[in-house]
Each structure stands twice: as C-alpha cells, then as structure tokens.
Amino acid sequence: MTHSLLLVDADATGHLGARLADAVLTAEQFSLSVALQGDLGAGKSTLTRGFLRAMGHEGPVPSPTYTLLEPYGFKGFTVNHLDLYRLADASELEPLGWRDLDDSIRLVEWPERAAGLLESLDLRITLSWAEQGRQADVVANTSTGQSILRALFKNDHT
C-alpha cells in the first residue's frame, strides 16, 4: 500500500508529521517503527518536529545526529527519534538498545545505514525534491503500517 503527496514548503512537511501523529493516536498504535528517508535537508527532522508537537511536546526537538537517539516521554507511550547516519552497519543497533525500543514509536532517520532494517519497519516515508517543493512517498510494509496509512489518508481523495 503506497500513497504520494506534494509538500509545497517546510510547513507542509511539518503538517504531514502532525497528520501522522493524529493517525497514530486514532489507531492507538504506540508500538510502531517509521523509516524517514531522504537526502540531507529533505525534511526528515521537520516532519519529526511536526509529529512531536502534535503529540504534545513543547520543548526543543534537536536532530539526533550526534546523540543517535532522542527519547520523548508521553503519558502511556514513548517516541524515540533515531538518526542512523553515523552507523557503519546494523551491528551497531544493539549497543543503542534497539530491541529495548520495541514497545515505543521509533522514528528512524537514515534507516538504510543498517542493512536489512528498512524492510522490517512498519512504515516508510521518503522525502524527495520536487519541482514545486518536496514529494512524500508513504509506503506500508506491515499490517500495522497499513492501518496507520489508512488513518493518515482517510480523508484524502487524491
């Protein structure tokens, strides 16, 4: 299951993150892994900020480029924002405590740095440059991802 949409600016990218948060809350799916792919500057962190703000986070949302992992606690669930850009391979996920994050929402930037990880994530959002802004391609890899994708685009008739 796939859906594509045009994002005209950074605000639209943040709004997609907010819509994703609403879909997660609607589906009550708090154990979820989302791949965020795209070149540097494509909007992965902007989308994450929109997601976290819609979840109720009011503080800063730094990119976890150097820390690799930024956890955000909410009532009843946790969102973990990961940036795997600096990983050499998938074996480096274990020291990050990857398995311990199963019962959380994982927003994973640069998942392709950990070979084999991408296919196991529930949802993949690829942000690419388009003539009028950016294009977001959203792909569900699992039944959980499909339920989130349906909730995300339930009112879209495009």
Side-chain angles (χ1 to χ4, degrees):
M1 182 181 260
T2 303
H3 196 94
S4 297
L5 69 153
L6 182 66
L7 305 169
V8 294
D9 56 21
D11 287 341
T13 304
H15 183 68
L16 175 59
R19 285 177 57 185
L20 177 62
D22 289 343
V24 167
L25 292 170
T26 297
E28 297 182 0
Q29 188 53 254
F30 303 111
S31 178
L32 174 74
S33 296
V34 180
L36 301 173
Q37 292 185 282
D39 292 335
L40 287 171
K44 298 178 296 294
S45 292
T46 300
L47 189 145
T48 299
R49 281 185 200 94
F51 181 91
L52 290 167
R53 298 262 186 266
M55 287 291 190
H57 179 72
E58 295 178 4
V61 181
S63 176
T65 302
Y66 296 103
T67 59
L68 304 180
L69 170 66
E70 289 288 336
Y72 298 88
F74 297 94
K75 187 176 180 178
F77 66 96
T78 301
V79 175
N80 288 292
H81 181 199
L82 296 98
D83 185 327
L84 306 184
Y85 185 76
R86 296 180 40 220
L87 262 60
D89 61 55
S91 68
E92 294 183 41
L93 284 173
E94 200 54 42
L96 279 176
W98 179 256
R99 289 184 204 178
D100 297 332
L101 304 178
D102 277 349
D103 291 330
S104 70
I105 299 168
R106 298 182 282 192
L107 303 176
V108 185
E109 295 188 34
W110 301 99
E112 61 275 12
R113 303 293 262 189
L117 177 64
L118 188 58
E119 296 77 23
S120 69
L121 302 182
D122 299 303
L123 204 60
R124 180 175 31 148
I125 301 174
T126 304
L127 300 168
S128 57
W129 300 103
E131 200 168 302
Q132 299 100 350
R134 293 179 180 90
Q135 177 170 318
D137 295 310
V138 186
V139 178
N141 292 328
T142 66
S143 59
T144 298
Q146 289 173 2
S147 71
I148 297 298
L149 190 62
R150 279 191 295 277
L152 181 59
F153 295 107
K154 70 179 176 213
N155 295 325
D156 254 5
H157 302 292
T158 58

